[in-house]
Amino acid sequence: MTRTAVIAGVGPGLGESLARKFAAEGCRVALFARTESVIEELAADLPDPGQGLAVPTDLSDVDEIRAGFATVREKFGPVDVLVNHASAASWQGLLDLDVEEFERAWAVGGRGAFVCSKEAVGDMVESGGGTVIFTGATSAVRSLGGTIGFTAAKFAARGMAMDIAQEYGPEGVHVAHVVIDGQIDGPGTREQHPDRSPDTFLNPDEMAETYWHLVEQDNIDTMPFEVHITNGPQNTEFL
C-alpha cells in the first residue's frame, strides 16, 4: 500500500529524518515548511524521484495550510498520514514574553496543528483510516518554568491529540503523541554544547523509526496513544 504522508514542519534534524524514513518505506511525502529552499532540496533528494513534494507553507496561516493540503491532494491524492511536527521557539517566562510572541507560538503549535489535523482526518475518515502523530516535548506533560509560550502550545497539542484519538479512533484513525524528552542531535548542536557527552543527544534517524512503527501498526485496539523518547539513564536535558 502506498501511503501519502504530510510532514508539517520540516527542517534539518528530526523533520528531515522523518521525511527520509517515510519515503524509504514507500510513502509519497509532502513537506510543509516556510523555508522553500530547504524543503525543495530535501524533496529532490528523497529515495525515489517523485516521492517528495515541497509545499512552502507558513503553518501559522490558515489559508496557506488549506492551500497546501489542496496541492497534496492534487498531486498525490488523499492524505493517509500526518505528522504535526511544527513548533515556534518561545523560551521566555510570563513577565518577559510579549503577547505577539505568545500568539505566534500558539498559532503554529496549536492552531496550525488543529487546521492540519482537520484537513487530514477528513481524508482519513472518507478512506477508512489513517495515522496522525503529534510531536510533543517534556513541556507537554510537565512545565519546565520560564517557557510559557512553548509550554502552552505543547499542552494544547497534547490535548488535541487526545481528543482526536477518542473521537476518531473508532473510525480507524490512530492518533499518537510523541513526548521527546531530550535534545535532538543535529547541525550545530554538538558545537553549541562541546562539553556534553554524545550519548546525551537523541539520534533523529532512530527517532524516525519510532514514528514509522506507529504508522505501520494495524491493530487499532492495541495502538499506543503516547510514546516517550528519551536518552535513557544518561538523560540530563530536563533534570
Side-chain angles (χ1 to χ4, degrees):
M1 171 185 176
T2 301
R3 297 179 174 95
T4 294
V6 171
I7 302 177
V10 178
L14 180 55
E16 178 179 345
S17 292
L18 291 171
R20 293 188 183 281
K21 175 60 181 177
F22 285 23
E25 294 292 343
C27 292
R28 297 174 293 244
V29 183
L31 312 173
F32 284 27
R34 286 192 299 171
T35 308
E36 187 172 355
S37 59
V38 170
I39 56 176
E40 285 186 342
E41 182 178 349
L42 178 57
D45 194 46
L46 291 179
D48 292 323
Q51 281 195 320
L53 176 64
V55 186
T57 308
D58 181 347
L59 288 158
S60 70
D61 188 308
V62 173
D63 290 335
E64 286 197 21
I65 295 171
R66 289 172 176 162
F69 275 89
T71 298
V72 174
R73 293 187 192 101
E74 180 180 358
K75 178 71 174 180
F76 289 155
V79 176
D80 303 294
V81 179
L82 167 66
V83 180
N84 281 313
H85 187 60
S87 63
S90 183
W91 309 121
Q92 292 178 299
L94 175 65
L95 299 183
D96 295 319
L97 186 69
D98 60 38
V99 172
E100 291 74 19
E101 187 175 347
F102 179 87
E103 288 182 340
R104 173 69 184 172
W106 157 252
V108 174
R111 187 180 67 202
F114 165 76
V115 178
C116 286
S117 299
K118 190 176 179 68
E119 291 286 326
V121 171
D123 285 359
M124 295 173 192
V125 170
E126 289 188 7
S127 61
T131 304
V132 180
I133 302 175
F134 287 75
T135 293
T138 303
S139 293
V141 292
R142 60 180 175 88
S143 174
L144 305 177
T147 59
I148 193 167
F150 182 78
T151 298
K154 286 300 183 183
F155 260 83
R158 184 172 187 260
M160 286 191 290
M162 186 176 294
D163 199 87
I164 298 167
Q166 293 175 342
E167 184 175 7
Y168 290 102
E171 298 190 50
V173 179
H174 175 218
V175 184
H177 178 252
V178 180
V179 177
I180 298 174
D181 189 14
Q183 189 166 21
I184 302 171
D185 205 354
T189 303
R190 296 194 187 189
E191 287 78 5
Q192 295 172 12
H193 303 278
D195 298 328
R196 288 265 299 269
S197 172
D199 61 4
T200 65
F201 297 103
L202 298 170
N203 184 311
D205 292 338
E206 293 177 359
M207 297 170 73
E209 296 285 345
T210 297
Y211 278 69
W212 180 250
H213 179 66
L214 292 169
V215 172
E216 67 178 356
Q217 294 181 87
D218 58 6
N219 185 349
I220 194 70
D221 295 328
T222 60
M223 289 177 172
F225 164 68
E226 193 156 81
V227 174
H228 289 240
I229 299 178
T230 75
N231 42 1
Q234 299 299 319
N235 187 6
T236 59
E237 180 66 12
F238 294 111
L239 293 179

